[in-house]
Amino acid sequence: MASYRILITSSAAGELEATPRKDRSRIVARIEGLATNPRPTGSAKLSGEEKYRLRQGDYRVLYSIRDDGMTVKIMKIGHRQEV
């Protein structure tokens, strides 16, 4: 199986940098896992949008998938109360 390319928006990169260090490493590991499986167990498709949500502890990652271009675009990373 070919791997997907991970693209992170500049706003999502800033949000990732703002997370605590212990949570950041777990979030990065989950994002890297999207390269091999963009729809892992526990991810959910958001209703009304072509976006997905991935949970990692108290944080959420919102992303979109383009199967034709083999890309996963990370759009937002934040605490569950904000996302």
Side-chain angles (χ1 to χ4, degrees):
M1 173 185 253
S3 64
Y4 284 69
R5 189 171 50 149
I6 304 292
L7 304 173
I8 300 178
T9 62
S10 59
S11 60
E15 293 163 350
L16 182 61
E17 288 296 319
T19 60
R21 186 177 303 266
K22 64 183 177 95
D23 295 317
R24 187 181 317 148
S25 61
R26 292 182 188 141
I27 293 169
V28 168
R30 290 296 299 265
I31 290 172
E32 289 173 347
L34 293 175
T36 55
N37 183 8
R39 295 173 185 90
T41 304
S43 68
K45 185 174 185 308
L46 300 179
S47 61
E49 300 180 47
E50 290 299 318
K51 295 180 185 174
Y52 291 82
R53 180 204 70 216
L54 181 65
R55 294 179 180 177
Q56 176 53 55
D58 288 337
Y59 289 86
R60 305 295 181 258
V61 177
L62 298 181
Y63 63 98
S64 64
I65 303 169
R66 291 202 50 195
D67 289 316
D68 57 347
M70 298 289 289
T71 59
V72 173
K73 184 177 182 181
I74 309 298
M75 296 185 218
K76 183 155 184 66
I77 300 169
H79 195 271
R80 66 182 183 175
Q81 294 174 342
E82 300 167 3
V83 177

